[in-house]
Amino acid sequence: MEDKKMRQESQIAAVKKVFRYLGKYRIFLVFSMLLAAVTVALTLYVPKLTGKAVDYIVAEGLVSFPGVFKIMLQIGICTLITALAQWIMNVCNNKMTYQVVRDIRNEAFRKIEILPLKYIDSHPYGEVVSRVIADVDQFADGLLMGFTQLFTGVATIVGTLGFMLSVNVKITFVVVLITPVSFVVANFIAKRTFTMFKLQSETRGEQTGLIDEMIGNQKVVQAFGQENETLERFDEINGRLQDCSLKAIFFSSITNPATRFVNSLVYTGVGITGAFAVVNGSLTVGQLSCFLSYANQYTKPFNEISGVVTELQNAIACAQRIFDLIEEEPQVPETENALHLTDIKGHVDLTDVSFSYLKEQRLIEHLNLNVKPGQRIAVVGPTGCGKTTLINLLMRFYDVTGGRIEVDGTDIRDMTRQSLRAGFGMVLQETWLKTGTIRDNIIMGKPDASAEEIVEAAKASHAHSFIKRLPKGYDTWITEDGGSLSQGQKQLLCITRVMLCRPPMLILDEATSSIDTRTEVKIQNAFARLMEGRTSFIVAHRLSTIREADVILVMKDGKIIEKGNHESLLAKNGFYAELYQSQFALGTGPNASGTVPVDNSACC
């Protein structure tokens, strides 16, 4: 009972939100309602004219042709005006519906841009996409049908009753007496279809999420022979979607036969009572034909409205899902007087910093760190120790739950996120490219860069040579996954972005993990030049990078357990020394380039 009440309240809330969006386009709404009234009035006036025409045809040789022709002309004019009014009404409905849909999609996309990263991390991408695309499309279809048929249907019912009362009150009473049957049918269908359509929408989002996940990771699926398991998961979700879709369609399909049954009852009642009235002389044959026509017109909207009700139930269910996204708690807003840093020196302080993704699972606790401008800070440690989390906190993808992080003496929560992130150049192990040209991907952080600057940055990252070999060079079009580019080439493009921006601070998270050893040595030299005078945070496994750092932080269980340079940490003979010595125990000592591979299972 409680669930039913909550469901009804959520439906009412969703409808109110829809009308809030409609408020901007009330002029179209008013015009649509007025034109619906005009359409209905003229449509209902035609049967009355037809009845008069029938009464002009009394018997053979007793036909008033002038009267019939006059009525035919009136019917023709009414039909033309009705067609024009319907066309304009449909234009208004389309404009109103798709402008509302545009506003909802824009608001949903804007919300995605400001959602905290924890929401994106905890929801499948495909499910979010399904809300913004499929659910909004379903909502648009239901809304359009509602505006097109609901106003017209209600106006037809009210108008028909008015015209029937003007002809004969007693027969109208028979029609009204049978009317509640239609409302009972509509109510029965509405209660059951909403739940099914909501479940259908949620399951469709789950299916979209799985498809998106599988397409994006098809190589991994095939490499580990997970095709059958993936198909089983898809079949299971598809089976549930089939089940809830069939139930939704079943209940909504009851509409037509049920309302047709009501139509037949009304038509039968009018026919029988009307026949007796004609025999008694209280009704003419023309009036009876007019009444029968009204009986059809009166019951037809119940068919349409019942169909609209099921569509609206689906639309409201989809609207609820998109409104849930729009109303998600956004990331912590910037302070009113947030500073916009322009001349960042690179002094970073972490004071008593604590953070956890889940309240019950502690990660980083009471972390303290003082980084001077221009220092190179390397971070190493086992999986889950908090290395990547530290990067997320520095970039303010997540906010600390305790303590504070300062850049040049200012708490990062008191500065704009844009200026903070513009101060960092970040290259991650996972590459990210957007659909566009090679040039578009390189200038992402500096849109006004000249052609000479782009080429210079590409040469510094050793990407220029492979770019020139592409069909159109820097104007070669690539997709979001890089198309035919290798993983190493995609990473070189990401490095080029940073080389172009030359930010005051750097974050390198295994930035050369996908690059061959020879190219890596060259890029390390380029990074060395780039890092001169810049505060740099390096999450790395390869000791060639770590050994050159000014300070090495060894993290474990969210805490810094060792701190110092390469030589001092080896002298301590602690956890870092164990990691270092384990490489040689595996027979993977320094190679010709000075690079010492690290056991990834220990350090990542």
Side-chain angles (χ1 to χ4, degrees), residues 138-379:
Q138 291 283 327
F139 168 70
D141 291 342
L143 197 64
L144 187 59
M145 181 177 283
F147 288 134
T148 304
Q149 297 183 0
L150 191 59
F151 296 152
T152 306
V154 172
T156 300
I157 292 169
V158 174
T160 308
L161 282 174
F163 274 100
M164 286 193 294
L165 284 170
S166 68
V167 177
N168 190 291
V169 177
K170 291 181 180 178
I171 302 177
T172 304
F173 178 73
V174 173
V175 174
V176 173
L177 200 63
I178 305 172
T179 298
V181 178
S182 289
F183 292 112
V184 172
V185 170
N187 187 50
F188 173 83
I189 294 169
K191 284 180 179 178
R192 283 152 182 80
T193 51
F194 176 77
T195 306
M196 290 298 106
F197 278 124
K198 188 172 187 293
L199 184 60
Q200 180 189 39
S201 183
E202 290 171 352
T203 311
R204 186 170 54 239
E206 188 181 349
Q207 187 185 58
T208 306
L210 176 63
I211 294 170
D212 182 77
E213 179 185 331
M214 290 305 105
I215 291 175
N217 299 282
Q218 190 64 18
K219 290 179 182 177
V220 178
V221 172
Q222 292 179 357
F224 286 92
Q226 293 294 302
E227 293 93 339
N228 291 334
E229 286 78 1
T230 302
L231 283 171
E232 287 173 7
R233 282 178 61 195
F234 184 81
D235 286 343
E236 189 271 330
I237 296 173
N238 212 26
R240 283 192 282 115
L241 181 60
Q242 177 193 21
D243 184 55
C244 59
S245 297
L246 283 173
K247 287 179 180 177
I249 292 169
F250 170 75
F251 282 114
S252 62
S253 66
I254 296 173
T255 305
N256 200 34
T259 49
R260 282 183 180 277
F261 174 71
V262 176
N263 293 354
S264 300
L265 288 177
V266 172
Y267 198 82
T268 303
V270 170
I272 293 171
T273 54
F276 281 113
V278 170
V279 171
N280 293 334
S282 59
L283 198 70
T284 66
V285 175
Q287 287 175 326
L288 176 58
S289 70
C290 172
F291 231 108
L292 288 171
S293 179
Y294 281 143
N296 267 336
Q297 297 218 28
Y298 175 76
T299 54
K300 185 181 177 184
F302 285 102
N303 265 352
E304 294 174 349
I305 290 173
S306 297
V308 166
V309 166
T310 58
E311 284 294 328
L312 285 177
Q313 293 295 323
N314 187 18
I316 292 169
C318 292
Q320 274 191 322
R321 279 168 49 79
I322 192 69
F323 289 145
D324 286 345
L325 172 63
I326 290 173
E327 291 167 4
E328 274 291 330
E329 194 71 28
Q331 62 188 1
V332 177
E334 295 174 346
T335 56
E336 188 176 345
N337 300 314
L339 299 175
H340 187 86
L341 299 187
T342 53
D343 186 21
I344 298 176
K345 300 293 188 297
H347 189 176
V348 181
D349 269 316
L350 283 78
T351 307
D352 198 31
V353 169
S354 296
F355 175 79
S356 61
Y357 294 102
L358 301 172
K359 290 182 180 179
E360 62 274 12
Q361 293 181 3
R362 296 178 180 179
L363 181 57
I364 292 179
E365 289 188 294
H366 310 296
L367 178 63
N368 292 283
L369 178 65
N370 180 272
V371 182
K372 296 176 182 177
Q375 276 193 319
R376 303 180 190 182
I377 308 298
V379 187

